[in-house]
Amino acid sequence: MTRLLVGPFNRVEGDLEVRLEVAGGQVSQAWVNATMYRGFEQILQGKHPLDALVYVPRICGICSVTQSVAAARALAAACGVTPPPNGVLLTNLMLACENAADHLTHFYLFFMPDFSREVYADRAWHTQALQRFSTHSGEHARQAVAARQRWLQIMGTLGGKWPHTQSIVPGGSTRGISSSERYRLGAHVAEMRGFLERVLYAAPLEEVVALDSEAALAQWCIREPLRGDLRLFLAIAQDLGLENLGRGPDLTLSYGAFAQPDGSYTMAPGVWDGQSLHAPNIAQITEDARHAWLADGGSALPPSVGLTLPTMDKPEAYTWNKAPRLAGQVLETGALARQLADGQPLIRALWQRSRGNVLTRVLARSLELAQLVLLTEHTLRSIEPEASSCVDSRVPDHADVYGLCEAARGSLGHWLSIRDGRIANYQIIAPTSWNFSPRDRSGTPGALEAALVGAPVAEGDTTPVAVQHIVRSFDPCMVCTVH
Amino acid sequence: MREPAFNVLWLQSGGCGGCSMSLLCADTSDFRGQLRQAGINLLWHPSLSLETGQDVQQLMADCLSGKTVLHALCLEGSVLRGPEGTGRFHLLAGTQEPMMTWVQRLSAVAKHVLAIGSCAAFGGITAGGSNPTDACGLQYEGDQAGGLLGSNWRSAAGLPVINIAGCPTHPGWVIETLAALAQEQGLQAEQLDGLNRPRFYSDKLVHHGCTRNEYYEYKASAEAPGDLGCMMENRGCKGTQAHADCNVRLWNGEGSCIRGGYACISCTEPGFEEPGHRFDQTPKVAGIPIGLPTDMHKAWFVALASLSKSATPKRVKLNATSSHIVVAPVIKKTRLS
């Protein structure tokens, strides 16, 4: 048996370290360490509740809009305000813009470059992978950064800047749009559609979201082999058996994405167990700090009464992340969970066969990216230019509320207590808090910790490539995790 | 195209990665090409490089031994000194050593050291509230010189830490600073302001180029979120005091905070994270804002404000408290008749 300490783990957001126990050429146990603590939950204490809108986006520079939305929803619940329809739609546009940018960044800059590694030099697809995804000269990676830059100009218009926009408030969006601006935004969406249909899919977006079975996917691949980066990924996945790598827990969570003015969701919420879909019972969510360098409340606590207090000298602790659980169970969250909850037939079919793994996570994200761009087109058409997008909010002296949201990487929740008009407690459970959770007090490993077991490790390899694929397939965000 | 020769190592500590994400929004159709063109070689960047784990540790060891010349060390995020000066709030993954220690070592061999964003420059948002992690900047703690490296520290090139402040910082500010450093003549001390920020962006105020200037002239003020009027009087806007060219250079194509409908919180200034008042409200004494425009005498401001308020056109007054233009400017006949 050997032990490996892998880090600094790059092309994930934030600082990550993975400790591995290797036996018989594969990982036998894994411990995931988020190595940095900043203390946002402590920083927020005593602040005016609306000041959270300045602090919380700065938890994360990659999904700052999502953090804003979760806070704004908690505050809206406290203030008892409902944004006008335009406020809801403009918020959705910003969310979709950020989520799509995240998926694009993940695919081209974080995940695919690993296939350009020397270790794959003998594979038939390696030259293609190198040409398209090399970190220094990959042609498609280069084009993706340019497409991302153009796409985020939508945020420049709607949010003033990205990241750390503050136009998302409890009452809606502080930036309305005119009909001429709506036209201009539409032109940016068309540019993204063009890039995706040319480079990522080599197919119309509508064709991609309509893929509804494994047979349809296989046919779609065979029709134009290796054309477009999604087909290349699928070929690589088949060759390397990515479907057998990094199996997650058999439960997934989505809070529901893109709430509409009528209260419905564009992507349905739910906990999926492979057979049926349940509404997530928020009251059953707890966080366990047994293995975190944080005060352990004596038991796993619901976030509404959660504690965040650094406590360095705990013999069992190995990370700054607490262990979130739903009814005591480990869940996986992210695009895969959203697609399962929403009933995407291809993803459900793949799930039935092989559950969550490197292939299904990346494929779910790729399909969702097409869906997000279509959603953006639809939302733009639904906006009523020149109509109000915001109402004012008055914060009460006392409130116990929460706000939920789907970030690109999964379910995000903010729990807020207000006393005497000030923030008395603020607790955040981020997507990667779920996925990269440490063991809980009963010793149950988190989603990634379990997913890494069985990953192949070659003799003498200090940074096993399979481990890297598994870790990055979750698109982790460590700064959100520890906040 | 020149061969990249200016080696840049980019590290992240007590921040959010937002300055890196902002960097990728640089106004170019070829991000890597733009860096190459400026002679910049990104040795390693947490989001953009292939190398992980042991390879990165080797790369840093090569910088420390001098095998690889480190022309610029960029730190994004604040330095986390806690608890009790140990730096254990951030151990560099894989090394079991505080990031603080790595930054000290690498600063000693770097020709230039750059603080990317307000966290690395002054402590930033991470130093807000009770500052549980004892966060500070590389060479400042708020507006006090010192920080991790001490006020007298100078890089091998003889410059203090260059503070490219902003939350996040603008990609143009970063790339133009690096490009200047990569040139033979480099960057001179007099090209930095009193807080060691590059003057090419900090000699301007956010107020310059603000699209709400007509409202400002007449003190026609926004009252609620989403209103079109000037946000200085009621909504906490510090555009007249914040050093940055945000409304001239613009963000993500055509944005600025104010154009997005919210106040400038002066994120390029030390201590912006603890303004001592609600971010969305302007503190006042006897109805007059405490934070008056930079360089303006209070008595003159009061006199001018009262004069301009009495002269405010109806159009400007009504539009100031609306979310869209409700009264258009009058079309005047300009021919002599």
Side-chain angles (χ1 to χ4, degrees):
Chain A
M1 189 192 73
T2 50
R3 283 174 185 268
L4 287 180
L5 191 65
V6 187
F9 220 114
N10 70 328
R11 283 178 290 114
V12 303
E13 182 50 50
D15 216 347
L16 168 70
E17 176 177 286
V18 178
R19 186 153 51 94
L20 303 169
E21 209 174 81
V22 181
Q26 58 179 32
V27 174
S28 56
Q29 285 201 81
W31 293 264
V32 176
N33 178 6
T35 67
M36 185 179 79
Y37 175 77
R38 288 165 302 161
F40 272 80
E41 289 160 341
Q42 290 180 284
I43 289 170
L44 284 161
Q45 294 209 358
K47 299 290 179 200
H48 188 275
L50 289 176
D51 283 351
L53 296 169
V54 171
Y55 292 100
V56 304
R58 291 167 166 92
I59 289 171
C60 179
I62 195 162
C63 41
S64 67
V65 165
T66 325
Q67 296 284 352
S68 293
V69 171
R73 286 185 179 158
L75 288 162
C79 302
V81 295
T82 308
N86 260 9
V88 175
L89 298 174
L90 286 165
T91 302
N92 281 348
L93 269 183
M94 289 186 262
L95 254 182
C97 182
E98 182 175 271
N99 286 4
D102 280 3
H103 286 347
L104 190 74
T105 308
H106 176 262
F107 188 83
Y108 281 104
L109 298 188
F110 295 173
F111 185 74
M112 294 305 283
D114 281 326
F115 300 113
S116 71
R117 287 184 177 281
E118 197 54 35
V119 65
Y120 293 130
D122 61 345
R123 301 286 171 161
W125 42 259
H126 187 253
T127 310
Q128 283 285 347
L130 207 55
Q131 276 171 7
R132 297 186 195 187
F133 310 119
S134 151
T135 52
H136 284 283
S137 55
E139 181 55 23
H140 291 187
R142 185 183 76 80
Q143 290 176 31
V145 174
R148 176 188 179 277
Q149 186 264 335
R150 297 290 295 169
W151 171 249
L152 283 167
Q153 292 200 6
I154 295 174
M155 282 306 305
T157 300
L158 293 179
K161 72 170 188 219
W162 183 90
H164 306 340
T165 169
Q166 275 145 237
S167 61
I168 294 161
V169 293
S173 163
T174 58
R175 175 66 154 86
I177 59 168
S178 64
S179 33
S180 73
E181 283 168 337
R182 182 165 71 162
Y183 178 78
R184 213 182 307 158
L185 294 175
H188 282 300
V189 179
E191 280 186 84
M192 177 53 86
R193 181 190 262 269
F195 168 78
L196 296 177
E197 294 187 340
R198 225 174 30 250
V199 182
L200 178 56
Y201 305 121
L205 300 185
E206 287 80 359
E207 194 177 295
V208 174
V209 297
L211 292 168
D212 59 359
S213 67
E214 290 188 68
L217 182 69
Q219 257 182 353
W220 186 76
C221 288
I222 290 163
R223 209 178 65 205
E224 297 177 271
L226 302 191
R227 257 203 81 214
D229 296 327
L230 179 56
R231 289 192 186 90
L232 177 59
F233 162 71
L234 290 165
I236 293 172
Q238 191 166 31
D239 183 43
L240 297 179
L242 297 185
E243 199 175 17
N244 306 315
L245 209 58
R247 177 163 171 175
D250 290 348
L251 272 180
T252 64
L253 167 70
S254 165
Y255 292 146
F258 304 106
Q260 295 297 306
D262 67 4
S264 66
Y265 290 95
T266 302
M267 296 179 201
V271 173
W272 174 254
D273 61 9
Q275 302 301 322
S276 57
L277 194 67
H278 310 278
N281 185 346
I282 306 305
Q284 291 182 330
I285 294 174
T286 57
E287 280 196 296
D288 185 333
R290 171 68 69 93
H291 292 278
W293 290 301
L294 296 166
D296 181 357
S299 63
L301 294 172
S304 55
V305 293
L307 283 176
T308 303
L309 210 58
T311 309
M312 292 298 294
D313 298 310
K314 286 171 68 180
E316 290 173 280
Y318 59 90
T319 177
W320 288 105
N321 190 15
K322 296 179 201 168
R325 298 287 185 264
L326 179 75
Q329 289 180 297
V330 177
L331 287 90
E332 176 174 346
T333 188
L336 173 65
R338 274 194 295 275
Q339 296 301 319
L340 288 168
D342 198 40
Q344 211 287 346
L346 167 60
I347 298 298
R348 280 214 181 158
L350 285 167
W351 170 267
Q352 294 301 358
R353 206 187 57 220
S354 64
R355 306 289 163 170
N357 51 57
V358 175
L359 167 71
T360 46
R361 276 175 211 122
V362 176
L363 182 60
R365 206 173 281 125
S366 304
L367 298 182
E368 189 171 273
L369 177 52
Q371 201 180 354
L372 286 168
V373 175
L374 292 170
L375 172 83
T376 310
E377 290 178 350
H378 175 76
T379 307
L380 266 181
R381 283 195 296 272
S382 310
I383 283 172
E384 194 187 329
E386 326 291 350
S388 164
S389 58
C390 191
V391 292
D392 206 353
S393 315
R394 210 195 138 270
V395 180
D397 283 346
H398 281 59
D400 292 286
V401 287
Y402 60 86
L404 307 176
C405 183
E406 279 293 311
R409 354 191 122 59
S411 306
L412 169 68
H414 285 197
W415 281 259
L416 162 68
S417 294
I418 303 171
R419 298 287 178 270
D420 301 321
R422 296 274 150 180
I423 295 173
N425 199 14
Y426 205 111
Q427 293 286 317
I428 298 148
I429 304 184
T432 308
S433 308
W434 290 97
N435 291 338
F436 283 22
S437 118
R439 284 151 171 76
D440 55 29
R441 59 203 328 108
S442 64
T444 310
L448 174 67
E449 291 185 333
L452 284 170
V453 173
V457 180
E459 185 71 33
D461 195 351
T462 52
T463 314
V465 74
V467 167
Q468 301 195 50
H469 296 324
I470 295 169
V471 166
R472 295 197 182 97
S473 73
F474 285 93
D475 190 9
C477 179
M478 308 317 296
V479 287
C480 280
T481 308
V482 292
H483 37 266
Chain B
M1 203 176 280
R2 284 193 290 147
E3 269 304 300
F6 189 81
N7 290 333
V8 175
L9 173 65
W10 189 294
L11 298 177
Q12 294 171 335
S13 192
C16 66
C19 292
S20 285
M21 288 298 114
S22 178
L23 183 74
L24 282 174
C25 294
D27 184 14
T28 169
S29 58
D30 185 358
F31 180 77
R32 289 270 181 186
Q34 186 189 33
L35 295 183
R36 267 198 308 276
Q37 184 68 32
I40 297 164
N41 174 40
L42 216 44
L43 272 182
W44 189 75
H45 182 288
S47 307
L48 306 174
S49 298
L50 186 68
E51 299 84 357
T52 206
Q54 293 289 328
D55 295 343
V56 188
Q57 295 185 39
Q58 186 58 51
L59 196 141
M60 292 197 300
D62 288 347
C63 288
L64 289 174
S65 71
K67 188 178 167 199
T68 301
V69 181
L70 180 57
H71 292 101
L73 171 69
C74 291
L75 179 72
E76 173 182 2
S78 59
V79 179
L80 304 179
R81 294 174 295 185
E84 286 153 23
T86 62
R88 284 168 73 196
F89 281 127
H90 184 197
L91 302 182
L92 175 60
T95 71
Q96 314 240 305
E97 284 192 282
M99 181 58 106
M100 183 172 83
T101 310
W102 282 102
V103 170
Q104 275 170 325
R105 280 183 203 145
L106 288 160
S107 296
V109 299
K111 194 170 173 206
H112 297 285
V113 175
L114 287 80
I116 306 292
S118 292
C119 288
F122 309 123
I125 214 84
T126 316
S130 55
N131 191 1
T133 53
D134 201 12
C136 70
L138 276 169
Q139 207 173 8
Y140 274 87
E141 187 163 358
D143 59 4
Q144 299 297 308
L148 175 75
L149 298 174
S151 53
N152 295 324
W153 182 92
R154 293 294 178 270
S155 68
L159 289 176
V161 172
I162 299 168
N163 290 325
I164 311 179
C167 185
T169 192
H170 193 292
W173 304 340
V174 176
I175 287 176
E176 286 165 32
T177 305
L178 285 173
L181 291 172
Q183 284 172 8
E184 213 164 295
Q185 62 271 34
L187 196 66
Q188 308 309 311
E190 56 270 23
Q191 288 169 282
L192 302 176
D193 75 3
L195 292 163
N196 298 333
R197 297 174 296 196
R199 289 179 54 190
F200 70 86
Y201 85 89
S202 75
D203 276 359
K204 297 194 180 70
L205 295 172
V206 170
H207 182 57
H208 300 159
C210 178
T211 47
R212 299 183 188 223
N213 274 353
E214 193 187 31
Y215 299 104
Y216 173 81
E217 285 165 24
Y218 289 109
K219 295 291 159 292
S221 298
E223 286 169 8
D227 285 353
L228 294 181
C230 174
M231 292 186 282
M232 182 215 151
E233 192 178 9
N234 302 319
R235 308 279 315 150
C237 187
K238 293 184 174 148
T240 54
Q241 302 154 56
H243 292 251
D245 58 5
C246 300
N247 269 307
V248 179
R249 180 187 291 266
L250 300 181
W251 291 73
N252 303 97
E254 54 185 48
S256 75
C257 292
I258 295 164
R259 290 172 199 216
Y262 50 95
C264 166
I265 57 170
S266 74
C267 73
T268 55
E269 304 299 317
F272 86 94
E273 68 280 359
E274 280 298 332
H277 62 83
R278 271 173 65 172
F279 281 102
D280 66 344
Q281 279 186 358
T282 307
K284 298 175 196 175
V285 171
I288 300 160
I290 295 172
L292 291 179
T294 302
D295 316 320
M296 186 140 186
H297 194 277
K298 188 173 175 179
W300 276 113
F301 179 84
V302 174
L304 280 171
S306 99
L307 190 65
S308 58
K309 271 200 180 186
S310 57
T312 309
K314 191 179 167 196
R315 168 180 63 84
V316 177
K317 198 172 180 174
L318 283 174
N319 289 342
T321 52
S322 303
S323 64
H324 291 82
I325 288 172
V326 288
V327 184
V330 168
I331 298 172
K332 275 202 173 166
K333 287 182 183 165
T334 52
R335 286 176 297 171
L336 294 170
S337 59

